[in-house]
């Protein structure tokens, strides 16, 4: 009797899995590169987890990469029981690869320009590119995004709204502790990276099936 292939033994399944993991790794590395080389040298937080990493580095000297990992994992653990452990696996992978990338690039790659406005522009565009690649694979780019999904599931508050207020609070706290200019840079970073995300998803993923996962109920 001929025994059918198990899903995990299907060559096409394995190819799709390898392709998905490769895209997740690429998006995470690009995101980590943008943070480490262009944004973090100016203490520009790219999101809530990055804002906490900047605060931990400023107040306690904790490396950005380690602070980023702990902050995002804390957000994730806080909400994992709302969304399920299986759906958290991709986010854990993203958080870990991004944090390792930040550590690598901080050690081995020197900022090329050291101009805050040019670094903000390039870092935001690269960050948006990395996040767009992750969104195409239906994974969150950080733990705070997972919190937004949990809030949406149980309180029906749009993820964009909850992310805005959570990130806004962390940005304001970071600006208060370090420098008020940071909040302006952080908001510009968010706007530029969001424009880049929309641009990439619009030109490469016009089909509704490839929209970001949080848009689906």
């Amino acid at each position: 009797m001929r025994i059918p292939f198990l899903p995990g033994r299907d060559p096409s399944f394995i190819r799709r899995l390898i392709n998905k993991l490769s895209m997740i790794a690429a998006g995470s590395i690009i995101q980590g590169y943008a943070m480490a080389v262009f944004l973090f040298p100016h203490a520009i937080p790219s999101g809530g987890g990055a804002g906490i990493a900047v605060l931990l580095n400023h107040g306690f000297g904790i490396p950005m990469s380690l602070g980023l990992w702990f902050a995002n994992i804390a957000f994730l653990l806080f909400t994992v029981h709302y969304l399920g452990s299986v759906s958290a696996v991709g986010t854990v992978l993203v958080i870990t690869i991004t944090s390792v990338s930040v550590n690598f690039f901080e050690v081995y790659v020197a900022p090329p320009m050291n101009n805050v406005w040019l670094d903000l522009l390039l870092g935001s565009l690269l960050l948006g590119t990395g996040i767009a690649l992750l969104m195409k694979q239906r994974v969150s780019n950080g733990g705070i995004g997972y919190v937004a999904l949990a809030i949406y599931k149980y309180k029906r508050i749009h993820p964009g709204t909850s992310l805005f207020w959570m990130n806004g609070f962390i940005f304001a706290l970071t600006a208060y502790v370090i420098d008020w200019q940071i909040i302006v840079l952080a908001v510009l970073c968010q706007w530029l990276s969001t424009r880049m995300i929309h641009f990439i998803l619009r030109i490469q993923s016009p089909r509704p099936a490839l929209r970001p996962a949080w848009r689906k109920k």
Side-chain angles (χ1 to χ4, degrees):
M1 179 182 294
R2 182 170 174 267
I3 300 175
F5 284 110
L6 295 173
R9 302 288 182 87
D10 183 356
S12 63
F13 170 81
I14 295 174
R15 284 196 298 270
R16 291 195 303 271
L17 179 61
I18 292 174
N19 181 67
K20 184 178 183 69
L21 292 175
S22 298
M23 294 302 292
I24 289 175
S28 303
I29 291 170
I30 293 172
Q31 178 177 246
Y33 178 75
M35 292 178 183
V37 177
F38 297 102
L39 301 177
F40 282 168
H42 305 287
I44 301 173
S46 57
I52 292 176
V54 171
L55 286 171
L56 292 174
N57 178 262
H58 178 79
F60 304 100
I62 296 175
M64 290 287 199
S65 56
L66 193 58
L68 183 68
W69 190 86
F70 276 124
N72 279 308
I73 289 295
F75 282 128
L76 188 63
L77 292 177
F78 180 72
T79 51
V80 67
H81 61 286
Y82 292 107
L83 295 176
S85 57
V86 174
S87 59
V89 172
T91 303
V92 171
L93 183 62
V94 170
I95 292 169
T96 302
I97 295 176
T98 299
S99 299
V100 171
S101 299
V102 167
N103 182 71
F104 175 85
F105 290 124
E106 282 185 333
V107 172
Y108 295 105
V109 179
M113 289 169 292
N114 284 318
N115 179 284
V116 63
W117 299 108
L118 289 176
D119 286 347
L120 173 66
L121 175 61
L122 291 175
S124 300
L125 295 180
L126 284 169
L127 179 70
T129 300
I131 294 174
L133 291 177
L134 295 173
M135 291 177 73
K136 285 168 66 68
Q137 303 306 314
R138 299 183 180 275
V139 294
S140 171
N141 69 305
I144 197 168
Y146 212 69
V147 176
L149 291 175
I151 292 173
Y152 174 69
K153 181 176 181 180
Y154 287 93
K155 299 296 183 180
R156 312 313 294 175
I157 299 174
H158 194 281
T161 302
S162 55
L163 273 176
F164 173 81
W165 288 108
M166 287 188 291
N167 283 335
F169 173 78
I170 295 172
F171 291 162
L173 180 62
T174 306
Y176 174 77
V177 172
I178 301 177
D179 188 332
W180 280 106
Q181 183 186 21
I182 288 175
I183 198 167
V184 176
L185 299 174
V187 170
L188 285 174
C189 176
Q190 289 280 293
W191 184 81
L192 288 168
S193 61
T194 300
R195 293 301 95 197
M196 191 65 180
I197 292 168
H198 289 171
F199 174 74
I200 292 175
L201 294 181
R202 187 169 60 248
I203 64 172
Q204 293 189 5
S205 304
R207 294 176 297 175
L210 293 178
R211 290 181 299 176
W214 54 259
R215 293 185 181 274
K216 298 181 67 178
K217 293 184 179 181

